[in-house]
Amino acid sequence: MSAAVPGSTPLSAARIAAAVRRGERSAVEVVEQHLAVIAEGEPQIHAFNAVMDDQARRAAALVDQRVAAGDDPGPLAGVPLALKDNLCTRGVPTTCSSRILEGWRPPYDATVVTRLVLAGAIPVGKTNLDEFAMGSSTENSAFGPTRNPHDQGRVPGGSSGGSAAAVAAGFAPLALGSDTGGSIRQPAALCGVVGLKPTYGRVSRYGLVAFASSLDQIGPLTSTVADAAVALEVIAGHDPLDSTSVPEPAPRLVSRLDEGVDGLRIGVVTELMGEGIASDVRRRVEAAAEALGAAGAKVDDVSVPAVTYGLSSYYLIAPAEASSNLARYDGVRYGLRVDAPTTAAMNTATRTAGFGDEVKRRIMLGTYALSAGYYDAYYGKAQKVRTLIIRDFATAYESFDLLLAPVSPTTAFPFGAKADPLTMYLSDVCTIPSNLAGDPAVSVPFGAGDDGLPIGVQVLAPALAEATMLRAAIVLEDAMAREVST
Amino acid sequence: MAERITTADVVHVAALARLELSADELELFTGQLAAVLDHAADVEALELSEVVPTAHPLPLVNVLRDDVVHRSLDRHEVLDAAPSVEGHRFRVPPVLGEPS
């Protein structure tokens, strides 16, 4: 399966970095090549809110100077990097695909941006998203939707749809997304790329514009599992600027990729394989289970009963936190201001003009779920369900090392197909449980559906077990490569 | 089960959230929010009086750092991003009372 953009030559981040570090290819040449692919494909795909041509060229020249001087620019030397436009980039507009932040230039870089640039990566653009990361299709962007490179009549998924499409179209081998309820994994699945949500707290969120603070996590989207491992090693690890970042050093991932799955116990989550999951998606998850079994894993079904309540509790908890986080958009310190005679009227006029419908819905839903008389019935109950989900995962992990599930219930759907909000929310049913539990999960491309569009399968792991998770992911990637070549 | 959300409820939460809705939006959003809350009836119906709520997946509490002076954001750069400033301050319309 190749990306739909003609002329694209997707090279893995690892291969680019190796060539640049050895001085075999210049970073400038790599960046020019990718900017050319972007110039050709971007008018159709609209993966980016902004392409950073000039900055990318300057950064690439600096990487080449370092190589020429005998320095090692790092494990991502010369690798073009696409950044979801809810990650702060100093002096470069960061919009969250919202009118309320249009034109805002942050006074600082997100920690993940700093770390990737220090490792030699070269930001080439800010990618489109559902406004404030609220959505599963990128249709909620104030700047128009991103199109799926595999079928431009269909959505790329969301909310990190621009990042997934950028990798799938060969615009950049590495992108960052954020995942609050599946926003890295679902678009990765729909665009046929790898998408990894790390353990909650594994990666600093300093400079990530907050949506739901107890759920948000930053992670990589790449064309290979190994690239995701390299990127996560670079961005993971404690950051004093994020008090919720886990006080652990970055894990060793790359050196453990080849350890295989022999003897690992892997459970297929039965609650996520039933009604509502398309039969072609289920078949690919079953094929993935077989492939892991063939590689020596002990695969069995496992029940995680509380995940069936994940969707309902998520759509109370996430909006509640969003209603609080988005209170900061008041027309005072940054972004849009719509003038009015009093500050209160200015706040209302600004927010009414600046937010799109989905953001307004979630703010109101969250405000309602937190309001007097409803707090116990909605928000309080949802937080208790969260305890049940954590408990049921813990029980499953007593008998299994990893779990397997679908990512998206279907392949990429046509634009406008899920205009009803609740129908759209159901897209997240398989990804939400990991966010509520704070556990890592990765979407790995694993073949195509009846319509020929990509399907991803999801490997779930206990907190901080990304290394084991990636061992299974790369076994699936290898199995898929063999399936395609035969 | 909690009572179904009404247009009056939505008017109330919109005001709390500093949002203004047109009549059409009010009707549309009320129906859409009701559908999401109806879906949450499965959670509402659970008997969970013995279950402790989880606010956050990490067992972190009161993360403190040493009280050391370090570089902060550049004040001019921060103020440059504001819609309106006066001196070194954010400028806003009157906060108290009705406009004259």
Side-chain angles (χ1 to χ4, degrees):
Chain A
M1 203 173 339
S2 64
V5 178
S8 68
T9 49
L11 263 183
S12 78
R15 284 178 61 185
I16 290 172
V20 170
R21 287 169 111 174
R22 286 197 298 261
E24 293 166 6
R25 292 191 73 193
S26 76
V28 167
E29 174 200 330
V30 170
V31 163
E32 289 298 348
Q33 183 191 17
H34 284 83
L35 289 176
V37 176
I38 292 170
E40 190 182 350
E42 174 62 5
Q44 293 87 50
I45 303 299
H46 185 222
F48 291 103
N49 286 339
V51 178
M52 298 158 63
D53 310 62
D54 293 342
Q55 294 100 320
R57 289 188 174 105
R58 282 198 300 273
L62 287 175
V63 167
D64 287 335
Q65 281 172 24
R66 292 187 58 189
V67 174
D71 288 348
D72 179 5
L76 292 169
V79 173
L81 164 67
L83 295 165
K84 189 175 183 178
D85 202 17
N86 61 352
L87 292 164
C88 287
T89 40
R90 186 171 185 177
V92 177
T94 299
T95 69
C96 295
S97 288
S98 179
R99 295 278 176 217
I100 212 158
L101 278 177
E102 198 171 5
W104 176 57
R105 292 170 191 266
Y108 58 93
D109 279 323
T111 296
V112 287
V113 175
T114 305
R115 288 185 178 177
L116 286 167
V117 168
L118 280 173
I122 296 170
V124 294
K126 304 295 296 285
T127 61
N128 197 14
L129 63 149
D130 288 293
E131 185 176 1
F132 284 104
M134 298 178 189
S136 311
S137 70
T138 322
E139 291 169 290
N140 293 333
S141 167
F143 309 128
T146 297
R147 282 177 279 279
N148 191 315
H150 293 272
D151 178 345
Q152 294 179 21
R154 290 172 190 263
V155 304
S159 65
S160 309
S163 288
V167 174
F171 295 165
L174 168 62
L176 286 187
S178 63
D179 191 314
T180 305
S183 280
I184 289 172
R185 292 162 286 160
Q186 184 257 13
L190 269 46
C191 289
V193 303
V194 176
L196 191 158
K197 182 200 97 71
T199 305
Y200 183 82
R202 187 61 116 167
V203 175
S204 167
R205 299 179 299 174
Y206 178 74
L208 169 68
V209 177
F211 160 16
S213 301
S214 79
L215 303 162
D216 298 338
Q217 184 60 205
I218 299 167
L221 296 100
T222 55
S223 56
T224 70
V225 171
D227 283 356
V230 176
L232 183 54
E233 279 189 357
V234 169
I235 62 175
H238 181 68
D239 176 13
L241 296 174
D242 176 2
S243 63
T244 62
S245 80
V246 176
E248 297 264 347
R252 282 193 317 116
L253 302 170
V254 179
S255 63
R256 298 192 53 197
L257 280 174
D258 295 334
E259 288 180 17
V261 294
D262 195 25
L264 286 185
R265 302 159 303 166
I266 300 177
V268 181
V269 182
T270 54
E271 284 81 5
L272 301 178
M273 288 290 279
E275 212 185 325
I277 309 299
S279 57
D280 53 354
V281 172
R282 279 201 304 254
R283 281 199 303 273
R284 291 314 297 166
V285 177
E286 285 158 5
E290 276 176 36
L292 291 163
K298 294 179 193 131
V299 183
D300 207 343
D301 286 344
V302 60
S303 174
V304 188
V307 299
T308 54
Y309 299 107
L311 191 84
S312 290
S313 51
Y314 174 87
Y315 277 100
L316 297 169
I317 290 169
E321 295 184 8
S323 72
S324 170
N325 273 325
L326 273 64
R328 61 170 61 93
Y329 302 102
D330 54 9
V332 174
R333 289 152 298 164
Y334 34 68
L336 181 73
R337 172 182 292 189
V338 176
D339 277 317
T342 65
T343 290
M346 181 275 286
N347 297 152
T348 301
T350 298
R351 292 164 62 81
T352 300
F355 289 138
D357 283 357
E358 180 61 20
V359 173
K360 288 177 181 172
R361 266 192 292 276
R362 297 213 196 180
I363 289 173
M364 291 190 290
L365 185 59
T367 305
Y368 185 71
L370 289 172
S371 62
Y374 300 102
Y375 183 97
D376 290 339
Y378 290 125
Y379 188 65
K381 269 274 172 67
Q383 287 193 314
K384 291 180 171 188
V385 169
R386 194 167 183 181
T387 306
L388 297 186
I389 290 172
I390 291 169
R391 188 184 296 172
D392 285 358
F393 270 125
T395 305
Y397 286 127
E398 285 171 13
S399 311
F400 293 92
D401 299 294
L402 299 169
L403 302 178
L404 197 63
V407 181
S408 164
T410 64
T411 57
F413 45 90
F415 290 102
K418 301 192 178 186
D420 167 58
L422 182 60
T423 309
M424 185 69 83
Y425 295 173
L426 293 169
S427 306
D428 305 335
V429 66
C430 299
T431 46
I432 277 172
S434 302
N435 299 87
L436 291 169
D439 291 342
V442 61
S443 172
V444 186
F446 204 70
D450 297 339
D451 50 15
L453 292 168
I455 287 177
V457 299
Q458 188 177 200
V459 182
L460 297 81
L464 303 177
E466 283 92 349
T468 314
M469 180 176 89
L470 285 167
R471 285 161 55 193
I474 205 160
V475 163
L476 290 175
E477 185 176 66
D478 291 346
M480 196 58 227
R482 282 197 303 276
E483 194 178 313
V484 169
S485 67
T486 51
Chain B
M1 187 179 163
E3 285 172 37
R4 210 152 198 268
I5 190 167
T6 64
T7 51
D9 294 326
V10 175
V11 168
H12 177 61
V13 294
L16 290 174
R18 297 277 193 270
L19 294 170
E20 210 164 77
L21 305 180
S22 69
D24 286 350
E25 285 175 330
L26 180 60
E27 194 170 332
L28 177 70
F29 287 156
T30 303
Q32 290 171 334
L33 296 185
V36 177
L37 292 167
D38 285 349
H39 189 274
D42 60 346
V43 162
E44 236 195 305
L46 292 172
E47 164 45 42
L48 300 171
S49 53
E50 302 301 311
V51 179
V52 180
T54 299
H56 199 272
L58 290 179
L60 294 174
V61 282
N62 292 342
V63 178
L64 301 176
R65 61 167 172 78
D66 294 333
D67 188 15
V68 181
V69 176
H70 60 95
R71 219 173 66 85
S72 61
L73 298 178
D74 180 79
R75 184 163 61 179
H76 292 290
E77 209 176 337
V78 171
L79 286 168
D80 273 352
S84 179
V85 295
E86 188 175 305
H88 296 307
R89 298 177 294 276
F90 299 108
R91 186 186 166 93
V92 295
V95 173
L96 298 172
E98 293 298 307
S100 51

